[in-house]
Amino acid sequence: MNKIVIFASGSGTNAENIIKYFSKKDSATVIAVFTNNSKAKVIERANNLQVPSEIFSKEELFESKVLQKLNGIEPDWIVLAGFLLKLPETIVKQYPNKIINIHPALLPKYGGKGMYGMNVHKTVVENQEKETGITIHFVNENYDEGNIIFQKSVPLSATDTAESVAEKIHELEQRYFPEVIEKLLTSNL
């Protein structure tokens, strides 16, 4: 069975959805949630589902302490689900093509440093895009530049707001993220 560690920084709805999804599957299990935010709602969500949480500082992330903890539990996959820090190259190199992220836009559009959550949705609306969507991709040493695994688009209208775009994206994330993870780890891409 594949062991998954989820990295998250915020509310944790995607993390919770992934944990619940794999609790009913034989293909994988979520063994831990790692977060850099001691006040993140994801900690409560993980605890409620009996998944241990690991809280670390930005300094610990870049001083190899997080890598040491990962190596101690030996995950097969690392899933970034709303994790806002860039992973250090040491982690990316230790787990090549084993770290996946979800981005709330159709990359390569609206990717890069600072492009997350409502920042993305506001920019999409300001630019009067006709569609947006989600991108699930491998993580490399650059923000949002890893090979794309999956994309799903959703149409937008002139009346869409950043908030309504956020709702549409959330629906796509909840529906597709766990399924794409499962397909990826069972196909050994």
Side-chain angles (χ1 to χ4, degrees), residues 12-13 21 24 38 46 55 63 80 92 95 126 139 154 162 164 182:
T13 56
Y21 182 89
K24 302 175 191 126
S38 63
I55 303 166
E63 291 170 354
L80 308 186
V92 174
Y95 295 92
E126 287 167 6
V139 173
V154 63
S164 67
E182 184 176 35

Side-chain angles (χ1 to χ4, degrees), residues 87-146:
L87 286 181
E89 217 170 290
T90 53
I91 293 176
V92 174
K93 285 185 175 179
Q94 183 80 32
Y95 295 92
N97 293 319
K98 295 294 182 181
I99 306 172
I100 51 182
N101 183 41
I102 190 163
H103 186 75
L106 297 171
L107 292 174
K109 282 185 166 187
Y110 308 110
K113 187 174 172 76
M115 292 305 287
Y116 59 88
M118 291 305 284
N119 294 346
V120 173
H121 307 320
K122 287 175 186 171
T123 307
V124 164
V125 170
E126 287 167 6
N127 290 341
Q128 300 175 347
E129 293 286 350
K130 301 292 184 228
E131 69 174 2
T132 190
I134 59 170
T135 302
I136 299 169
H137 64 94
F138 287 110
V139 173
N140 66 13
E141 61 279 356
N142 300 312
Y143 278 115
D144 303 323
E145 291 183 14

Side-chain angles (χ1 to χ4, degrees), residues 4-187:
I4 298 172
V5 169
I6 297 175
F7 277 66
S9 297
S11 70
T13 56
N14 278 324
E16 179 180 50
N17 190 37
I18 293 165
I19 293 166
K20 286 179 176 178
Y21 182 89
F22 284 106
S23 71
K24 302 175 191 126
K25 302 285 183 173
D26 294 329
S27 56
T29 186
V30 177
I31 59 169
V33 170
F34 280 48
T35 184
N36 62 306
N37 180 357
S38 63
K39 295 182 173 133
K41 179 91 170 151
V42 71
I43 298 166
E44 179 185 329
R45 291 180 193 275
N47 288 341
N48 288 342
L49 296 168
Q50 287 78 49
V51 174
S53 300
E54 186 70 46
I55 303 166
F56 58 88
S57 67
K58 187 174 182 179
E59 293 74 27
E60 289 172 323
L61 179 64
F62 290 95
E63 291 170 354
S64 297
K65 289 184 182 174
V66 172
L67 179 58
Q68 290 169 1
K69 288 179 182 186
L70 284 170
N71 289 341
I73 60 175
E74 300 179 330
D76 298 297
W77 294 90
I78 297 171
V79 175
L80 308 186
F83 185 67
L84 301 182
L85 297 177
K86 184 176 167 187
L87 286 181
E89 217 170 290
T90 53
I91 293 176
V92 174
K93 285 185 175 179
Q94 183 80 32
Y95 295 92
N97 293 319
K98 295 294 182 181
I99 306 172
I100 51 182
N101 183 41
I102 190 163
H103 186 75
L106 297 171
L107 292 174
K109 282 185 166 187
Y110 308 110
K113 187 174 172 76
M115 292 305 287
Y116 59 88
M118 291 305 284
N119 294 346
V120 173
H121 307 320
K122 287 175 186 171
T123 307
V124 164
V125 170
E126 287 167 6
N127 290 341
Q128 300 175 347
E129 293 286 350
K130 301 292 184 228
E131 69 174 2
T132 190
I134 59 170
T135 302
I136 299 169
H137 64 94
F138 287 110
V139 173
N140 66 13
E141 61 279 356
N142 300 312
Y143 278 115
D144 303 323
E145 291 183 14
N147 290 337
I148 293 172
I149 300 164
F150 174 86
Q151 289 186 307
K152 184 69 176 175
S153 64
V154 63
L156 299 177
S157 70
T159 59
D160 270 310
T161 63
E163 291 75 18
S164 67
V165 171
E167 288 175 21
K168 290 179 179 184
I169 294 301
H170 185 71
E171 286 177 21
L172 292 178
E173 291 172 340
Q174 293 286 294
R175 176 164 179 207
Y176 291 103
F177 201 15
E179 290 176 7
V180 171
I181 293 167
E182 184 176 35
K183 284 180 186 166
L184 181 67
L185 53 86
T186 57
S187 70

